[in-house]
Amino acid sequence: LYTAPDSCQERCGEPFSEEDECHCHHECQAQHNCCQDYDRHCGHDGFSSSRGSITDQELLQLSELLYSLDHNKARPGDIALNPQHLADPGDTGDKQDRSPQPLYKFVNEGLFSKPTYASFIKLLDNYQRNTGTEEEVTPEELREQERFLEEVMKTELMKELFNFLQGKQRFGSEQEFVQELREIWFGLYSRGAGERDSSGFEHVFSGTARPGVPGGSDPGWVPAPLTPKGSRVAPSPADPKPPPQWDSYPDVLGLQFSWDGFHKEVGSAFIGSSPEFEFALYSLCFLARPGRACHLSLGGHRLSVQTFPWTKATPGSG
């Protein structure tokens, strides 16, 4: 079900994109830029139907649909931000804290009692952030993983994602889909010293650290208001205009931050989205555009999610 970026498996007829390592569209042979396995998957005797490919237009349409189905997102008044300093492009390397007050002035903590939020938050303390340290997964943590998957699959948003992928012949049943999500997000693999020290969920939603460098996603908005008092998250350069005051969610905030002694100069994070919304978008992009930019549309605004397959160790299978 995972498609490597240098393969035509499940990509036959996919439109040309300069970001792709190789191509699987019908003109690639004439242009001499096909993937090496084009004939096997997309030739006359190939078994990979173009009906299973996911077009750029379908990604734009589906992401807008998922955006509209995020019923658990924050509403106007649920979050009040205090962006403070807007950094200039030349300030990104400056480690001085220019936003000494907390980023969040107010968060409606009633959001965190919703089932997908509550089960998501339970997962955040299950990980050793340093690479090279073997993860020990307890029976309780396994139950927390299952609870989260159960809760997100109850949402209309995730059911729509499954229906789309099933229609693309990627999955035959919801059980098969959930098993793939389990492997993608919670399967352990090695990022250092051969230890099973990381997972997709840890790297993206909780964060990993190697000497001097924070890894994984930038801090999501859900755990940020729960961090100890005194934590600082400072906005980063994005626009010369004053920081926006949002009246709808989700949105994206550009920021720089310090985390457990590590400094990240420029990053970004969704603000106000539900856990299942990010989980769905990233899962879609990993399956549809592995190892390359996944172009989406949210509320009429274009954005891209970059995926990074991990192929250096098993298990993980990319």
Side-chain angles (χ1 to χ4, degrees):
L1 295 174
Y2 161 77
T3 302
D6 59 353
S7 171
C8 279
Q9 184 178 355
E10 302 292 353
R11 290 180 56 200
C12 299
E14 191 176 272
F16 173 82
S17 172
E18 293 182 352
E19 297 165 344
D20 294 345
E21 294 182 20
C22 58
H23 305 278
C24 308
H25 56 85
H26 301 305
E27 294 79 27
C28 70
Q29 289 180 310
Q31 297 174 5
H32 306 291
N33 56 14
C34 296
C35 297
Q36 291 185 355
D37 59 2
Y38 174 83
D39 288 335
R40 179 159 64 92
H41 290 295
C42 308
H44 293 299
D45 299 324
F47 57 83
S48 182
S49 169
S50 61
R51 291 179 300 165
S53 64
I54 299 174
T55 68
D56 289 345
Q57 185 61 34
E58 286 174 323
L59 283 175
L60 295 175
Q61 293 172 347
L62 179 59
S63 55
E64 283 288 2
L65 179 56
L66 298 179
Y67 174 82
S68 71
L69 294 177
D70 189 12
H71 303 312
N72 285 328
K73 67 182 179 181
R75 304 296 175 181
D78 282 340
I79 302 172
L81 294 179
N82 181 24
Q84 302 163 76
H85 179 72
L86 184 68
D88 292 323
D91 293 340
T92 57
D94 185 358
K95 296 184 180 181
Q96 179 181 349
D97 187 353
R98 299 179 182 272
S99 298
Q101 301 170 13
L103 174 63
Y104 291 87
K105 291 192 292 186
F106 169 78
V107 173
N108 175 10
E109 295 189 8
L111 290 168
F112 302 149
S113 64
K114 293 185 176 184
T116 56
Y117 286 79
S119 58
F120 175 82
I121 291 168
K122 285 280 190 181
L123 295 170
L124 296 177
D125 62 356
N126 290 353
Y127 302 102
Q128 298 285 338
R129 65 182 55 174
N130 291 325
T131 58
T133 301
E134 180 97 11
E135 292 288 348
E136 296 182 8
V137 183
T138 67
E140 180 181 2
E141 290 173 350
L142 288 173
R143 288 192 294 270
E144 290 173 352
Q145 293 174 9
E146 293 305 309
R147 178 65 183 276
F148 174 71
L149 291 171
E150 289 173 3
E151 294 299 341
V152 297
M153 286 308 302
K154 292 177 183 177
T155 65
E156 186 179 1
L157 186 155
M158 284 296 292
K159 289 186 180 297
E160 185 63 40
L161 175 60
F162 164 67
N163 289 336
F164 173 82
L165 293 171
Q166 186 182 43
K168 289 294 183 179
Q169 304 174 342
R170 299 295 180 102
F171 300 98
S173 66
E174 186 173 306
Q175 181 180 10
E176 185 182 344
F177 177 50
V178 172
Q179 176 59 28
E180 183 72 2
L181 292 175
R182 186 182 294 112
E183 288 297 322
I184 289 172
W185 289 102
F186 299 112
L188 293 175
Y189 59 91
S190 175
R191 295 187 69 87
E195 302 288 349
R196 288 155 52 90
D197 58 0
S198 192
S199 68
F201 187 93
E202 177 188 17
H203 191 68
V204 171
F205 289 113
S206 178
T208 56
R210 53 191 172 86
V213 181
S217 177
D218 303 324
W221 84 269
V222 172
L226 305 178
T227 54
K229 299 296 182 184
S231 297
R232 301 286 182 256
V233 182
S236 75
D239 196 303
K241 296 179 294 185
Q245 297 299 315
W246 291 297
D247 56 8
S248 65
Y249 296 102
D251 213 310
V252 178
L253 174 69
L255 48 82
Q256 62 181 236
F257 62 93
S258 296
W259 177 61
D260 197 27
F262 300 106
H263 178 74
K264 190 163 186 177
E265 292 188 5
V266 179
S268 61
F270 278 108
I271 303 293
S273 57
S274 70
E276 61 265 29
F277 176 76
E278 286 195 67
F279 191 73
L281 281 192
Y282 300 154
S283 298
L284 169 64
C285 285
F286 183 81
L287 291 167
R289 297 291 186 269
R292 47 210 167 112
C294 176
H295 302 298
L296 308 174
S297 178
L298 303 179
H301 298 280
R302 298 292 182 94
L303 75 159
S304 299
V305 172
Q306 176 71 43
T307 63
F308 297 94
W310 187 261
T311 59
K312 299 178 182 178
T314 57
S317 302

